Amino acid sequence: MIRTIDPDRPFRLSYGSCRTSEVNDLAAHKSHGVDSLLAFALHLADRGEQAVPDLIAFLGDQVYADLPSSEMRQIIRDDRGISTKLDAELRNYEEYTQIYRLAWSGPAIRWLLSTVPSAMIFDDHDIRDDWNSSLLWKKKVATIPWWRDRIVSGLASYWVYQHLGNLSPAERAADEIWQAIQSHQGPGEFELSPIVEAVVEEADRDPERYRWSFCRDFGDTRLIVLDSRAARVLEPGRRSMLDPKELRWLDERMQGDRRHLLIATSLPFLLPRGLHHIEDWNAVLADGRWGERLALAGEWIRQAIDLEHWAAFPESFRAIAAMTTEVAEGRRGTAPETVTFLSGDVHFSYIEEVDRPMQSRVLQAVCSPIRNPLRPALRWVAAVMSRRVAGPLGGVLARFSPHPPFHWSTLKNPWFDNNLASLEVTAGGLKLRWETGVVIDGNHDAPKLQEVTSITIAPHPVAARKPH
């Protein structure tokens, strides 16, 4: 079944990130939890057309190239053997084809992807943990003998398996790789690999070379999907989550005159506030404000505890926060009811809202993981770091870095279930819901979908959203 967009039907979107593709049995459920995407697919198949969303957005870590499943490790072992931890990582394009096959070839998942339109953006594990976290990281991985094959194969397979489906007909027609495919005529061999590899290798060297971000409009709702990995500028003193060309592209699309504006980015734009201040302070430290020695210490801390979210690129954060404020205050057309950032990555889910009075409600809604839960000990660490430690510590460190243009607070504290989120445009506002898979009566192959939490974000009064 393929259902087209109906402008009169309320827009519905499902989203999430971080999904391992282990088998579905008791042992795997104990280690990786129940696959929420499988439960979601079976739920849709059972409920029929009325339950099907207009779009499902996968916000990163669709595959784990550095931490492959047991089945994928066996394929690698049979092909070239595994002697070290590095040997178990993907190395070439053929291995990427196998990991995508394992991720998406189960009958229910194949049916879901054939029935529901999808949008996808990578995060680090689609390539490698902490991908482009810093220039030092990039120089370090470049010393791995097979790294060139890995980055080229990872981006090339991403173009084939994920990115090509993100493009509108007009964008696809303008894409240089697609143009090369279309230009081939008549019988005979056509070798696509050199064309794709040349483009993506250049894109890895120069973030302005190729755009992975994209934008779609669904009636009165706009979805902007941002690349927060490959578009980075990594040189200290110039660090930016988005290169200048990407930032201009986003600036053109951050507009009002629609009911809802959704910005999907794999990394949360708004972290719990204490964590934000810690990353912001570390970025200032690593850029050398207090000397070279402390800069080296800041860089070590940055990599050791993964301080590489939007807050760790403060100039980009402030630029987008300024755009968001202009939209939410009605300075870029009529203010939407909501400006909502949709994200994943952190392996826990939460909701934050900007406190500053504006015509739009500005939110961060995180859904992570679909299937890759933190171990219980790490859940405790994440909870403590997000609130008890990061809050007071971040408050102190905030004095040593520029203040963000607005503050935000928590609507729902972090929770750690495997889950898939959905949003629906309703008459009463934007309804957000998180659901998880549960096993009933020992039926591990057919988990059921169960609600974890939900919230409806009611808009401010219409009078407050008139344009300036």
Side-chain angles (χ1 to χ4, degrees), residues 162-177:
Q162 299 193 53
H163 184 64
L164 186 58
N166 295 329
L167 302 177
S168 69
E171 290 168 332
R172 189 165 56 247
D175 185 271
E176 60 186 292
I177 301 174

Side-chain angles (χ1 to χ4, degrees), residues 407-425:
H407 293 92
W408 56 95
S409 54
T410 303
L411 287 183
K412 284 187 177 288
N413 283 323
W415 66 94
F416 297 91
D417 306 83
N418 283 349
N419 49 194
L420 191 72
S422 62
L423 64 83
E424 181 176 359
V425 176

Side-chain angles (χ1 to χ4, degrees), residues 39 68 81 163 180 184 204 238 254 267 270 329 348 359-360 431 442:
H163 184 64
H184 175 69
D204 180 55
R238 296 184 56 239
M254 287 283 284
L267 300 170
L270 300 178
E329 290 182 342
F348 56 84
Q359 297 173 33
S360 305
K431 184 177 181 180

Side-chain angles (χ1 to χ4, degrees), residues 19-36 38 68-74 102-103 106 109 371 418 439 444-447:
R19 177 177 178 263
T20 56
S21 53
E22 296 287 347
V23 296
N24 295 290
D25 58 20
L26 178 60
H29 286 163
K30 285 182 177 180
S31 60
H32 289 76
V34 176
D35 184 357
S36 297
L38 174 60
S69 67
S70 54
E71 287 181 282
M72 187 65 222
R73 287 197 302 272
Q74 187 58 55
L102 292 173
I109 303 303
R371 189 191 191 189
N418 283 349
V439 172
H444 294 278
D445 289 328

Side-chain angles (χ1 to χ4, degrees), residues 246-322:
E246 195 84 355
L247 202 59
R248 290 192 298 271
W249 177 89
L250 175 62
D251 190 42
E252 292 171 358
R253 286 155 183 78
M254 287 283 284
Q255 302 295 330
D257 294 330
R258 46 190 45 83
R259 190 174 174 191
H260 297 281
L261 179 60
L262 310 175
I263 303 103
T265 170
S266 63
L267 300 170
F269 184 68
L270 300 178
L271 290 167
R273 215 163 83 200
L275 282 175
H276 173 94
H277 289 313
I278 291 172
E279 294 204 11
D280 196 357
W281 165 82
N282 176 261
V284 174
L285 180 70
D287 276 344
R289 177 177 293 184
W290 296 293
E292 186 176 345
R293 289 186 178 180
L294 288 177
L296 291 173
E299 189 66 45
W300 181 86
I301 295 169
R302 185 186 186 96
Q303 292 197 56
I305 54 176
D306 293 349
L307 303 183
E308 45 119 11
H309 298 84
W310 283 91
F313 296 82
E315 294 302 320
S316 305
F317 177 86
R318 290 179 181 83
I320 294 178

